[in-house]
Amino acid sequence: MTVLGAVFRPQLPPERLRSMARLADDAGIEELWLWEDCFLEGGISTAAAALAWTERVRVGVGLLPVPLRNVAVAAMEAATLHRLFPGRALLGVGHGVQDWMEQAGARVESPMTLLREYVDALRALLGGERLTTQGRYVRLTDVALDWPPPPGSEVPVLAGATGPRTLRLSGEVADGTILTVATSPEGVRRARRLIDEGREAAGRTGPHRVVVNLLTTTGPDALRRLRAELANEGVDTVPDLGVAGDAQAVAKAVRALADAGADTVVLQPTADEPDPEGFLRFTAEEVRPLVP
């Protein structure tokens, strides 16, 4: 079954999160995804609050920019969420937008090297290992979590990826991959091939979850808002991106991404979505019944 989620965009003030998280929980949305975009809202703080305010919805952070967060601290935060809310926290990490990393004084010379070292260390710490490593960027001495996730619990680490090298790397080191709204169904197929190349090179045989964001608009001016957002993202010339229309049209777009290899499709509203609460209801009540 295709997992269907929705995004709470950090362009909304954080005080809106409580009511929307509860709405997502009550409406039956499977996953509510949050962002840690600079310089809007913190991913871990918002995830913890959303999880505390709800009972069943899974909450994802897609994604934490690794240059901004020491991996030991990220492991502590992730382990705490997994122990407080078993099976409901999802964590994605990635390079971060390089201009933002420059603004924050955190940009590194080799984002690929950092991401590889970071994901390897994060997965090891969350797996209960005691770690000493002296990498180019990740340097730990005799570090182990006193409160790791319970043995046997599923603690996947997902990586955000766009380019071929990062997609292969995600297949090598991560448990899943997050793809942006700039990914068409054909782009999902290409991503799956590259991820599988990385998995094969690393000898990994377990499941690898692919999460795809789908820019979605509905309502009277849906097409105009979709086109404006794609233009703002600089991907308006890429075919088959996003969907504008009613629940049938959205469900068809979701199914196309799922057929291409997406395990989870996350409906992402535009930054100017006039009714964010209505968008969540639309996702749960109108689109979900049409997606197998």
Side-chain angles (χ1 to χ4, degrees), residues 39 67-68 97-108:
F39 298 93
L68 291 179
V97 176
Q98 294 307 296
D99 287 347
W100 290 342
M101 299 304 99
E102 183 76 31
Q103 282 182 273
R107 187 167 183 166
V108 299

Side-chain angles (χ1 to χ4, degrees), residues 101-124:
M101 299 304 99
E102 183 76 31
Q103 282 182 273
R107 187 167 183 166
V108 299
E109 185 177 357
S110 177
M112 291 288 293
T113 301
L114 171 58
L115 189 61
R116 178 185 294 277
E117 293 178 356
Y118 197 101
V119 174
D120 282 343
L122 183 58
R123 293 183 71 243

Side-chain angles (χ1 to χ4, degrees), residues 31-35 47 58-62 88-92:
E31 294 182 358
L32 181 67
W33 282 81
L34 312 172
W35 298 351
R58 294 187 295 274
V59 176
V61 180
R88 293 180 55 212
L90 300 165
L91 179 67

Side-chain angles (χ1 to χ4, degrees), residues 7 76 79 84 87 91 96 102 148 210 212 249-250 252 263 289:
V7 173
M76 291 163 58
L84 288 172
L91 179 67
E102 183 76 31
V210 172
V212 185
V250 175
K252 181 179 179 181
D263 300 296

Side-chain angles (χ1 to χ4, degrees), residues 95-166:
H95 298 310
V97 176
Q98 294 307 296
D99 287 347
W100 290 342
M101 299 304 99
E102 183 76 31
Q103 282 182 273
R107 187 167 183 166
V108 299
E109 185 177 357
S110 177
M112 291 288 293
T113 301
L114 171 58
L115 189 61
R116 178 185 294 277
E117 293 178 356
Y118 197 101
V119 174
D120 282 343
L122 183 58
R123 293 183 71 243
L125 292 170
L126 292 174
E129 296 183 29
R130 182 170 296 276
L131 189 61
T132 295
T133 182
Q134 294 296 315
R136 182 174 177 181
Y137 299 109
V138 175
R139 300 173 185 176
L140 302 172
T141 302
D142 197 31
V143 174
L145 298 176
D146 285 347
W147 295 104
S153 60
E154 183 184 358
V155 186
V157 175
L158 285 70
T162 52
R165 293 177 61 210
T166 310

Side-chain angles (χ1 to χ4, degrees), residues 15-90:
E15 54 268 27
R16 293 281 296 275
L17 177 60
R18 182 174 183 170
S19 62
M20 291 191 63
R22 287 182 168 177
L23 173 58
D25 204 44
D26 293 341
I29 288 177
E30 292 146 273
E31 294 182 358
L32 181 67
W33 282 81
L34 312 172
W35 298 351
E36 188 168 78
D37 274 4
C38 296
F39 298 93
L40 294 165
E41 295 161 6
I44 296 296
S45 55
T46 51
L51 287 162
W53 288 325
T54 56
E55 297 293 334
R56 44 149 300 278
V57 66
R58 294 187 295 274
V59 176
V61 180
L63 43 77
L64 300 174
V66 299
L68 291 179
R69 288 183 174 271
N70 180 280
V71 70
V73 175
M76 291 163 58
E77 299 276 27
T80 300
L81 289 181
H82 281 285
R83 292 188 71 107
L84 288 172
F85 310 102
R88 293 180 55 212
L90 300 165

Side-chain angles (χ1 to χ4, degrees), residues 198-215:
R199 283 161 46 80
E200 183 177 358
R204 302 192 65 181
T205 57
H208 187 101
R209 181 181 183 187
V210 172
V211 178
V212 185
N213 288 272
L214 174 64
L215 188 63

